[in-house]
Amino acid sequence: MKRISLLAVVLACAGSSACETGKNNSAWSTKPVGEPQVATGAPTAPSTAPTITSGKGVGPVDHVDFASLDESRAPIGAKLFQEKCSACHKIEERYIGPALAGVTERRQPEWILNMILNPEVMIKEDPTAKGLLATYIAPMANQHLTRDEAESILVYFREHDEVMGEDDTEEAGRDASSSNVTTANGH
């Protein structure tokens, strides 16, 4: 019996960055003891439909003036993202956690900052964060960032999303202009 239990722990930790780094993440599950854990199948692709939350999340951030965040902080945010977040998140693809491309379009800036700064409480109290935990199984680790550092990551996300939006607009313009090409004989 002990051998099976140890094997279960090893398998559970195989994909978890918390186990790999040796960090104790006490917020591993929001389910009470005794409640059955739901087994999930293969990972599913994230929804392409935008899911804007109306909430600001639970935590220390209740207001963000998104427009006043200095764009020059994006490189700092990119570096912090690489150091603190990339073990579980990729921008363009699902990994241990969700892909973060378009996150500033799906979530309010307060929600994003509260998720970065206060993930344990968010996965216990915020319905959207609870849904993400149910989908991705592994809870977001608290990296103990300052609000300034979290805002720099937010600026990095916003810059990425704006560039991607511009690329989509340019592609749509190219597609529209190429479909309206006519030849000298009018065809």
Side-chain angles (χ1 to χ4, degrees):
M1 183 66 178
K2 287 183 182 181
R3 181 176 272 172
I4 292 172
S5 296
L6 179 59
L7 179 60
V9 169
V10 169
L11 290 175
C13 287
S16 170
S17 64
C19 291
E20 292 170 7
T21 61
K23 291 181 181 176
N24 179 12
N25 189 347
S26 61
W28 179 253
S29 175
T30 59
K31 293 184 182 272
V33 174
E35 188 172 332
Q37 298 289 323
V38 178
T40 59
T44 57
S47 171
T48 57
T51 53
I52 297 176
T53 60
S54 61
K56 294 181 178 187
V58 180
V61 181
D62 61 1
H63 177 71
V64 175
D65 183 7
F66 211 18
S68 72
L69 295 176
D70 184 4
E71 291 178 17
S72 69
R73 294 168 68 178
I76 296 166
K79 183 176 186 240
L80 284 166
F81 177 83
Q82 185 61 36
E83 292 171 358
K84 302 287 188 172
C85 311
S86 66
C88 295
H89 292 282
K90 304 298 176 209
I91 295 292
E92 297 295 332
E93 64 185 84
R94 176 184 173 141
Y95 195 52
I96 293 169
L100 294 172
V103 71
T104 61
E105 297 163 3
R106 294 187 308 270
R107 310 277 186 258
Q108 291 188 20
E110 295 86 359
W111 190 95
I112 296 168
L113 291 177
N114 280 322
M115 192 65 187
I116 293 170
L117 296 171
N118 200 29
E120 300 93 352
V121 175
M122 286 285 285
I123 63 174
K124 288 179 183 175
E125 298 181 23
D126 181 77
T128 302
K130 285 180 183 181
L132 288 169
L133 177 61
T135 300
Y136 294 93
I137 309 303
M140 185 161 148
N142 189 336
Q143 296 296 325
H144 304 286
L145 298 172
T146 65
R147 178 164 175 163
D148 189 57
E149 290 169 325
E151 285 178 353
S152 293
I153 293 171
L154 177 63
V155 170
Y156 167 62
F157 291 160
R158 179 179 64 183
E159 180 180 87
H160 178 273
D161 292 346
E162 286 175 355
V163 168
M164 292 308 297
E166 290 169 6
D167 289 348
D168 291 344
T169 303
E170 289 173 14
E171 256 181 54
R174 281 194 302 272
D175 290 345
S177 65
S178 65
S179 66
N180 292 329
V181 174
T182 58
T183 61
N185 64 6
H187 294 82

